[in-house]
Amino acid sequence: MAAKLTQSFFNRPTLTVAPKLLGAKLATCRNGVCTSGMIVEVEAYRGDIDQAAHSYGPRTPRNEVMFLEGGRCYVYFIYGMHHCVNVVTEPEGSGAAVLIRALEPIEGIEIMKRRRGVKNLRELTNGPGKICQALGIDKKMLGQHFLSSTAIRLESYRRIPGAMIGQSTRIGISKSKHLPWRFYIKGNAWVSRKSGYP
DNA sequence: TGGATGATCGCA
DNA sequence: GCGATCATCCAG
């Protein structure tokens, strides 16, 4: 079992927390319908030096949650049709988070198939928008705490050895492309394909 | 490879 | 107000 997740786990530097979220379980419950998956791919975003971060620049209503204490849930809506979910990191005032990009399904697989409208297991949760559709994540979860919310939670699940963790540049961004801040479990079937370098 | 589709923000 | 931008997904 991985180390128990605590407030101090999330308040650490973003690049420390990001790879350690691999192997954790993300779980949601909506109206008693519960689904979960193991995190297999993440990306780090830091407002201080990273132009791709939503928290780069001034604190606004949109990025406000990224500036709260670590362990909060930052959800945003993008391209007019997709939600993405992040774990806020570092102490209050920092403006940093880890985007969850891919999960390996654990519980509620039939529910996820119905929400996604696909049968292929790999297509269920191998992308940030797909995760939110499969687990029913939207702005109702914005600002909730992953350790105390009943709707969306994070728990320790598997310990991932360092040798199993790959690192690359991030996907789908146009600024600060060179930063190697994407982390994933090597060889896992749910890791999204395209990447800066393997 | 490009179109869908809406929230956000800088600038007027 | 207006328009450019955007941490995506899927069909063709």
Side-chain angles (χ1 to χ4, degrees):
Chain A
M1 289 293 280
K4 187 167 165 38
L5 301 185
T6 60
Q7 183 61 50
S8 56
F9 173 89
F10 296 109
N11 277 358
R12 291 179 298 169
T14 309
L15 294 175
T16 302
V17 175
K20 291 185 184 298
L21 283 172
L22 298 173
K25 179 161 84 170
L26 175 66
T28 62
C29 285
R30 294 185 63 120
N31 306 320
V33 179
C34 298
T35 51
S36 67
M38 179 179 77
I39 299 174
V40 301
E41 180 183 351
V42 298
E43 287 177 357
Y45 288 88
R46 279 176 52 175
D48 55 350
I49 57 169
D50 172 14
Q51 295 186 66
H54 291 168
S55 51
Y56 184 80
R59 193 163 166 164
T60 67
R62 183 208 187 191
N63 62 28
E64 171 63 22
V65 169
M66 283 187 76
F67 288 87
L68 301 181
E69 61 184 336
R72 297 267 171 187
C73 175
Y74 172 56
V75 177
Y76 63 88
F77 187 60
I78 191 136
Y79 299 124
M81 53 181 77
H82 299 293
H83 290 278
C84 295
V85 62
N86 297 246
V87 181
V88 175
T89 54
E90 313 219 10
E92 175 157 14
S94 303
V98 175
L99 171 67
I100 302 176
R101 287 196 56 89
L103 301 178
E104 176 177 322
I106 300 173
E107 297 156 295
I109 289 176
E110 289 310 312
I111 294 157
M112 292 195 262
K113 284 181 178 172
R114 207 175 312 142
R115 285 178 178 155
R116 290 271 301 117
V118 298
K119 293 179 182 174
N120 185 337
L121 271 188
R122 187 176 309 178
E123 289 296 317
L124 235 41
T125 50
N126 62 341
K130 297 176 187 182
I131 288 174
C132 290
Q133 190 179 19
L135 303 210
I137 297 169
D138 59 28
K139 283 196 153 187
K140 283 191 209 113
M141 278 89 160
L142 177 63
Q144 297 194 21
H145 202 296
F146 281 111
L147 298 181
S148 58
S149 170
T150 53
I152 187 163
R153 300 186 70 89
L154 277 172
E155 305 166 15
S156 56
Y157 183 65
R158 293 278 162 73
R159 207 184 85 79
I160 309 300
M164 300 269 301
I165 298 178
Q167 188 171 358
S168 82
T169 51
R170 296 172 296 179
I171 294 173
I173 53 172
S174 52
K175 298 171 198 157
S176 299
K177 287 180 169 180
H178 61 286
L179 297 172
W181 288 0
R182 172 175 177 255
F183 303 91
Y184 56 94
I185 299 179
K186 287 180 188 171
N188 186 282
W190 281 268
V191 172
S192 56
R193 292 294 171 188
K194 51 175 184 171
S195 71
Y197 48 87

